[in-house]
């Protein structure tokens, strides 16, 4: 690949946000170059999200990368809540008038997007080191980076900061131009991936006196389980046996009996955080996905929010290049944030409802159980849970 020196949109980061944006722009005939710090294999090795909302499924279809997802993904119309030792199903499909979610791993979404990009011969520079963004307050921004020890400059019209929570784009914005809202939770999620059949055909979210647990899956033969653990726990201290034992203690008797254990193929601890940046646009620099916001994974919203940011950004850029109007580009930050805050609220609420907090007194467990009991037995309570979980419509409540 010859390294391009000019492009219309410089995209920093080849995670799901950057790759999906690249694909949507390509479909609209807009040029983009993606600069990624890691190798492609490293990006594919990160085990993260597993649940796609309908809005995200539609976007992957629009980007022309939905074929394998529809063939291999698992459509789920409900999930279980386990509390007070009892399991209750939230029938999302019935409650929301036919909406479902798709269980299909972020790794697979990323792989499909990478293949589409490669097949179209679109430029991605992997192992681009020391990426720096310049002049985004002018009409002639640029990005500098190093590749194989050589310095490069990429001139562009716009920069898309799709470089995740620890990226360079948000960090390059003057501190007086940005507000950051953050809550760090006093526990993490220990995740384990194994080639074992899932314990149940849908997900089980568990509130137990020993802490939260989640039984998820990637396919009929691959399971993903999570345990709430103290932030002080180290991954080396958790043997596979210890994980399975603790999981069993948090499950109900039928799930305990059905659980098939096996060697882990990946195990990691992720911290939990709520975080939002306002605004998401700084001149010709736009932040999207984890670069602008983080949700605790309880509501399965991180990847889905990243996808909708990118949808709004692609509409803005297409309006600029094809429609000669910057209305959508100017509305980008407000449109995103309105959706983001609703997903942030849901993820925070669901996290608070399902986890044990160190400062909790016994009355908190009673409150949690009462609220969960209300949710599963009230039509209004179940619907609130279901419509947020399947994802609010793209322009929910937005005057357009
Ligand atoms: P990503 O996936 O972090 O990708 C950003 C990319 O930018 C690159 N990068 C740089 N490139 C060039 N120069 C630099 N200076 C750069 N700095 C960074 C990085 O190498 C990377 O390739 O962000 P993106 O694309 O916005 O996608 C967001 C999603 O990945 C994220 O929201 C979800 O994975 C969040 N998340 C989960 N979401 C869910 O919906 N359900 C889940 O179960 C779930 N589990 C998780 C998660 C996130 C985790 N993290 C961030 C540690 C589990 C974990 C462990
Ligand atoms: C996952 O499968 O990794 C997963 C599913 C649902 C969540 C979080 C993570 O809420």
């Amino acid at each position: 690949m010859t390294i391009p020196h000019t492009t219309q949109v410089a995209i920093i980061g080849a995670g799901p946000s950057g790759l999906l944006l690249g694909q949507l722009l390509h479909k609209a005939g807009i040029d983009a170059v993606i600069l990624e710090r890691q190798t492609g294999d490293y990006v594919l090795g990160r085990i993260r999200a597993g649940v796609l909302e309908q809005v995200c499924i539609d976007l992957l279809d629009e980007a022309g990368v939905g074929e394998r997802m529809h063939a291999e993904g698992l459509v789920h119309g409900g999930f279980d809540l386990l509390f007070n030792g009892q399991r209750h199903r939230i029938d999302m499909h019935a409650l929301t008038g036919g909406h479902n979610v798709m269980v299909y791993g972020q790794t697979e979404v990323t792989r499909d997007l990478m293949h589409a990009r490669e097949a179209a011969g679109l430029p991605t520079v992997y192992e681009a080191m020391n990426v720096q963004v310049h002049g985004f307050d002018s009409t002639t921004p640029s990005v500098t980076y190093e590749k194989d020890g050589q310095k490069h400059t990429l001139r562009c019209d716009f920069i898309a900061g799709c470089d995740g929570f620890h990226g360079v784009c948000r960090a390059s914005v003057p501190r007086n131009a940005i507000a950051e809202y953050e809550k760090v939770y006093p526990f993490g999620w220990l995740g384990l991936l194994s080639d074992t059949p899932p314990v149940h055909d849908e997900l089980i979210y568990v509130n137990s006196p020993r802490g939260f647990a989640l039984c998820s899956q990637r396919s009929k033969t691959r399971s993903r389980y999570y345990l709430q653990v103290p932030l002080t726990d180290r991954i080396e201290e958790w043997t596979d046996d210890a994980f399975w034992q603790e999981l069993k203690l948090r499950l109900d008797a039928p799930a305990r009996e059905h659980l098939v254990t096996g060697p882990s193929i990946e195990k990691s601890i992720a911290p939990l955080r709520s975080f939002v940046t306002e605004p998401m646009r700084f001149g010709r620099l736009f932040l999207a996905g984890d670069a602008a916001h983080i949700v605790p994974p309880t509501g399965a919203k991180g990847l889905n929010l990243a996808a909708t940011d990118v949808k709004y950004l692609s509409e803005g850029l297409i309006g600029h290049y094809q429609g000669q109007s910057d209305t959508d580009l100017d509305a980008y930050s407000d449109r995103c944030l309105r959706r983001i805050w609703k997903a942030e609220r849901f993820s925070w609420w669901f996290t608070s409802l399902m986890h044990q907090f160190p400062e909790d007194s016994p009355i908190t467990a009673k409150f949690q159980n009462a609220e969960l009991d209300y949710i599963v037995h009230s039509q209004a309570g179940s619907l609130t849970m279901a419509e947020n979980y399947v994802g609010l419509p793209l322009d929910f409540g937005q005057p357009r």
Side-chain angles (χ1 to χ4, degrees):
M1 183 190 77
T2 50
I3 291 187
H5 296 288
T6 59
T7 188
Q8 291 175 303
V9 183
I11 300 175
I12 319 299
S17 307
L19 288 166
L20 181 57
L21 179 62
Q23 198 62 19
L24 292 172
L25 294 180
H26 169 63
K27 290 263 154 195
I30 299 169
D31 269 359
V33 173
I34 301 185
L35 304 176
E36 163 62 51
R37 183 168 55 186
Q38 307 288 355
T39 64
D41 283 345
Y42 182 94
V43 172
L44 287 174
R46 295 188 294 222
I47 306 299
R48 291 183 174 178
V51 176
L52 309 182
E53 296 175 357
Q54 189 61 48
V55 167
C56 183
I57 297 167
D58 293 345
L59 274 173
L60 292 168
D61 283 335
E62 188 182 327
V65 295
E67 197 178 320
R68 197 165 68 95
M69 169 184 69
H70 287 292
E72 297 178 17
L74 304 171
V75 175
H76 283 199
F79 62 86
D80 280 2
L81 288 172
L82 164 55
F83 60 95
N84 224 358
Q86 298 283 322
R87 244 195 279 170
H88 307 262
R89 183 165 187 265
I90 298 289
D91 188 343
M92 296 181 294
H93 185 84
L95 285 157
T96 62
H99 290 281
N100 298 308
V101 294
M102 174 86 84
V103 170
Y104 189 64
Q106 176 168 333
T107 313
E108 304 313 313
V109 172
T110 309
R111 197 189 307 279
D112 294 344
L113 285 162
M114 277 180 179
H115 283 163
R117 194 164 175 83
E118 244 171 63
L122 302 172
T124 310
V125 182
Y126 285 100
E127 299 180 273
M129 310 312 288
N130 194 20
V131 168
Q132 289 178 30
V133 292
H134 310 275
F136 51 82
D137 50 352
S138 75
T139 52
T140 53
S142 64
V143 185
T144 54
Y145 64 97
E146 290 159 28
K147 168 77 181 167
D148 300 328
Q150 297 265 350
K151 289 195 171 155
H152 297 272
T153 300
L154 178 63
R155 291 180 212 295
C156 54
D157 300 334
F158 296 100
I159 301 170
C162 300
D163 50 349
F165 184 64
H166 300 287
V168 66
C169 291
R170 191 182 72 252
S172 304
V173 172
R175 291 296 90 192
N176 60 5
I178 191 167
E180 296 180 341
Y181 300 88
E182 182 172 46
K183 177 177 174 67
V184 177
Y185 297 83
F187 41 74
W189 276 21
L190 167 63
L192 181 147
L193 189 70
S194 63
D195 276 328
T196 52
V199 64
H200 184 53
D201 51 9
E202 293 179 340
L203 272 60
I204 311 175
Y205 288 86
V206 185
N207 175 318
S208 95
R210 300 182 65 90
F212 171 81
L214 170 60
C215 305
S216 183
Q217 52 194 262
R218 291 290 177 273
S219 69
K220 296 278 182 208
T221 55
R222 183 167 283 190
S223 301
R224 178 72 165 162
Y225 295 104
Y226 294 97
L227 293 174
Q228 172 187 351
V229 294
L231 276 176
T232 45
D233 278 17
R234 289 154 47 90
I235 193 69
E236 305 77 46
E237 293 160 357
W238 276 94
T239 62
D240 290 358
D241 277 353
F243 184 98
W244 294 119
Q245 240 173 44
E246 182 58 34
L247 179 61
K248 282 183 182 169
L249 290 172
R250 298 186 190 188
L251 296 178
D252 59 332
R256 210 167 13 249
E257 275 159 35
H258 275 103
L259 183 70
V260 180
T261 64
S264 62
I265 48 178
E266 194 267 357
K267 217 166 33 184
S268 51
I269 296 180
L272 267 68
R273 173 191 318 270
S274 298
F275 174 84
V276 181
T277 297
E278 288 187 351
M280 289 166 59
R281 177 196 185 162
F282 308 89
R284 290 197 162 217
L285 169 66
F286 294 83
L287 302 179
D290 279 16
H293 44 77
I294 297 287
V295 283
T298 323
K301 291 282 170 257
L303 173 59
N304 292 298
L305 276 183
T308 46
D309 288 357
V310 160
K311 165 72 176 162
Y312 292 142
L313 184 51
S314 68
E315 284 178 1
L317 292 166
I318 292 167
H320 175 86
Y321 285 111
Q322 291 181 355
Q324 265 132 54
S325 157
D326 281 348
T327 312
D328 281 348
L329 216 44
D330 292 341
Y332 171 72
S333 191
D334 288 347
R335 287 178 87 192
C336 288
L337 284 163
R338 198 147 177 206
R339 184 173 182 81
I340 289 160
W341 277 116
K342 288 185 189 68
E344 289 280 347
R345 183 212 63 85
F346 173 67
S347 304
W348 157 76
W349 168 77
F350 197 18
T351 301
S352 311
L353 190 61
M354 299 303 290
H355 292 76
Q356 310 296 316
F357 287 70
E359 69 272 18
D360 283 354
S361 57
I363 197 171
T364 311
K366 295 283 185 191
F367 287 153
Q368 286 182 339
N369 273 327
E371 185 163 0
L372 284 161
D373 202 43
Y374 166 73
I375 286 164
V376 300
H377 291 110
S378 143
Q379 174 84 4
S382 299
L383 176 55
T384 294
M385 172 65 94
E387 74 174 350
N388 280 282
Y389 193 88
V390 298
L392 298 172
L394 202 50
D395 275 324
F396 179 81
Q398 299 207 22
R400 288 278 296 161

